[in-house]
Amino acid sequence: MDMQPASLPLVADNRRRFLVFSLLMTALFMATLDNQIVSTALPTIVGEFGQLERFGWVGSSYLLASSAVMPLYGKLGDLFGRKYVMIAAVVIFVVGSMVCGLAVSMNTLIAARVLQGLGGGGLMVSIFSINADLFAPRERAKYQSYSSLMLMASGAIGPTLGGTMSDFFGWRSIFLVNIPIGLLVLVGLVFLLPYRRPARQPKIDYAGALLLAAAVASVVLAADSAELFGSLVSVQSAAIVATGILCAVAWVVVERRAPEPIVPLSLFRNPTFTLLLVISLASGAIGIGLVNYYALFLQTTTGLSPSVAGLLFIALTGGIVCGSLSAGRLIAAYGRYKPFSIASTSLCLVALGLFTQVHPGTPIVVISGILLLHGFGVGLGQQVPILGVQNAAAKGDIGAATGAVTLTRMSGAAIAISIYGAVVASGIARLGEVVPGVADIEQLTPKMLAALPADTRQMIAETYSHAFLPLFLTAGGIAIIGLIAALSLKPIRLPRAGEA
């Protein structure tokens, strides 16, 4: 077991550092692929276990658990060193995957997804925190851009791979495949990743961890209440929101007195940190939250089949990858991240404005161009919040800061998905009654839609086009908030290796 003092690079040998980074990217791909791969296998799982009413919990339970523990993993890495915290996350994720693959009922599958999420949340935070130890801030910008490739690759092949594996090997294989991948990552980290023991005495803030986890869980549950409780505004969701507020207030009180708070409140005294959290929240809302609604919008307003509509997402994902790689290299060269945050939110705002002008009959090539523009905008600013908070935080608080910014991105996506769903549902309920010959417009599948007369399809397309208009305006409002925060950032220059 080799130990490294904090004043030296975590890994000095370039070849070994590349191998460690490759293991981290493999772990990132594994964790993000799992959430994508499950979506297409869910109908098969429901067919075996039944209990359709718990369909949503298979995804929500993972998101709930992973979001709740993100800040905790970041702080544990600061206190105990990132190597063993990362290894623990991998072990929990692999064990959770094995239990998912051996599930005998919907309840045991949901419980196993919670266990899997407890590991997945730690993987996401630990990977970005270890990157901060491996690379200097400018060099980190280039390497962290490769994480976009992993995220996009998992998003692109996940649904297709999930369906294929379910057909040929059964749905359990989509979870069990994580075991050999996880063991490979585990062995590699044990032998290749050095252990750096923090200088401070570890003191775990148990009360703060529980209160923050409860507050985060309340946000995720409240955002998903439309699916879980049948309505965004209900007695259950109101009780959850009230509980979340109480936990958040109690958490602030506890953190003021804790010797080692989960997220040091001193970070919030730095306006750069607070602004970057706002940018991260907006990024999650317009970068992740809109994806599912783009699919629905394309199929209902253009009449495209799911497979053809899926092909259009190549433009979106390609734009994200190009934007992220370009930003990574330019930030590494010049050290400035503020211009990329401004450009990112500006391009997303333009793309959302263009989407308000899309109507039935808009050429596919125009829609592809808008998706490409939106993806490029998202990619330009994708890594800015993580780079910024890691540079703004003290060395001993990098893990906590990384956990906080990762959490806000996920929370922004969860909250936005709920808001967008309510906006579209309201528009459809208001406009859908005027379509003759269609009993319930929301129950139409793409196959059923294709079988309707041309005039009826045109009316449905126009109905959805009008219903989506307030969604794009809402997302545009969120983008404006992100743009204001980006413009308010200080023009900070990231240091090169060896610079203070």
Side-chain angles (χ1 to χ4, degrees), residues 29-70:
F29 181 74
M30 177 180 68
T32 53
L33 178 69
D34 188 80
N35 226 17
Q36 300 288 342
I37 206 172
V38 169
S39 59
T40 47
L42 277 177
T44 306
I45 296 172
V46 171
E48 179 173 332
F49 290 149
Q51 295 182 302
L52 180 62
E53 71 279 2
R54 300 190 180 181
F55 179 94
W57 279 105
V58 177
S60 297
S61 57
Y62 182 92
L63 178 63
L64 186 69
S66 60
S67 300
V69 298
M70 281 179 179

Side-chain angles (χ1 to χ4, degrees), residues 63-334:
L63 178 63
L64 186 69
S66 60
S67 300
V69 298
M70 281 179 179
L72 177 60
Y73 271 102
K75 187 63 181 181
L76 289 176
D78 290 336
L79 291 176
F80 296 98
R82 310 200 202 286
K83 176 173 181 172
Y84 295 112
V85 172
M86 174 73 180
I87 288 174
V90 175
V91 170
I92 294 171
F93 184 84
V94 169
V95 172
S97 299
M98 183 175 64
V99 178
C100 284
L102 300 176
V104 295
S105 67
M106 186 65 83
N107 287 340
T108 55
L109 177 61
I110 292 170
R113 287 286 281 168
V114 170
L115 179 61
Q116 198 183 29
L118 294 176
L123 284 176
M124 296 291 288
V125 174
S126 297
I127 287 166
F128 291 118
S129 298
I130 293 173
N131 277 344
D133 292 336
L134 288 175
F135 306 106
R138 284 207 195 183
E139 193 181 12
R140 192 185 312 154
K142 181 175 68 175
Y143 280 93
Q144 283 194 173
S145 67
Y146 293 128
S147 65
S148 299
L149 291 177
M150 297 297 104
L151 295 171
M152 293 309 104
S154 64
I157 72 172
T160 303
L161 186 62
T164 303
M165 291 183 67
S166 296
D167 290 341
F168 286 94
F169 306 107
W171 65 265
R172 297 177 189 275
S173 64
I174 67 175
F175 297 110
L176 297 178
V177 74
N178 290 328
I179 297 175
I181 300 174
L183 290 176
L184 172 67
V185 172
L186 195 61
V187 172
L189 291 175
V190 167
F191 289 102
L192 294 175
L193 182 65
Y195 173 59
R196 174 177 284 171
R197 184 193 298 275
R200 64 226 252 189
Q201 184 66 29
K203 294 180 181 179
I204 301 177
D205 177 18
Y206 294 103
L210 289 173
L211 287 169
L212 182 58
V216 172
S218 299
V219 171
V220 176
L221 283 174
D224 215 18
S225 57
E227 181 178 350
L228 299 177
F229 309 121
S231 172
L232 188 61
V233 180
S234 62
V235 175
Q236 297 97 321
S237 62
I240 288 171
V241 170
T243 301
I245 293 172
L246 287 175
C247 289
V249 172
W251 174 74
V252 172
V253 173
V254 168
E255 296 300 84
R256 283 179 173 174
R257 301 177 180 178
E260 286 287 357
I262 294 297
V263 180
L265 297 181
S266 58
L267 288 172
F268 293 94
R269 299 192 191 108
N270 185 341
T272 298
F273 179 80
T274 306
L275 289 170
L276 287 166
L277 289 188
V278 174
I279 293 170
S280 182
L281 199 72
S283 175
I286 61 180
I288 302 174
L290 277 174
V291 172
N292 291 336
Y293 293 95
Y294 276 152
L296 178 63
F297 177 75
L298 292 174
Q299 291 178 46
T300 52
T301 58
T302 64
L304 297 176
S305 66
S307 57
V308 176
L311 289 175
L312 290 183
F313 278 83
I314 295 175
L316 180 68
T317 55
I320 293 175
V321 170
C322 291
S324 182
L325 293 177
S326 301
R329 279 155 177 73
L330 291 171
I331 292 174
Y334 299 104

Side-chain angles (χ1 to χ4, degrees), residues 439-476:
D440 189 351
I441 190 173
E442 294 184 31
Q443 299 297 320
L444 285 175
T445 64
K447 195 171 184 179
M448 295 166 60
L449 184 62
L452 292 172
D455 291 344
T456 305
R457 290 201 306 270
Q458 179 68 17
M459 291 186 67
I460 292 172
E462 291 177 355
T463 297
Y464 270 99
S465 180
H466 291 304
F468 267 88
L469 178 60
L471 181 148
F472 293 129
L473 293 176
T474 301

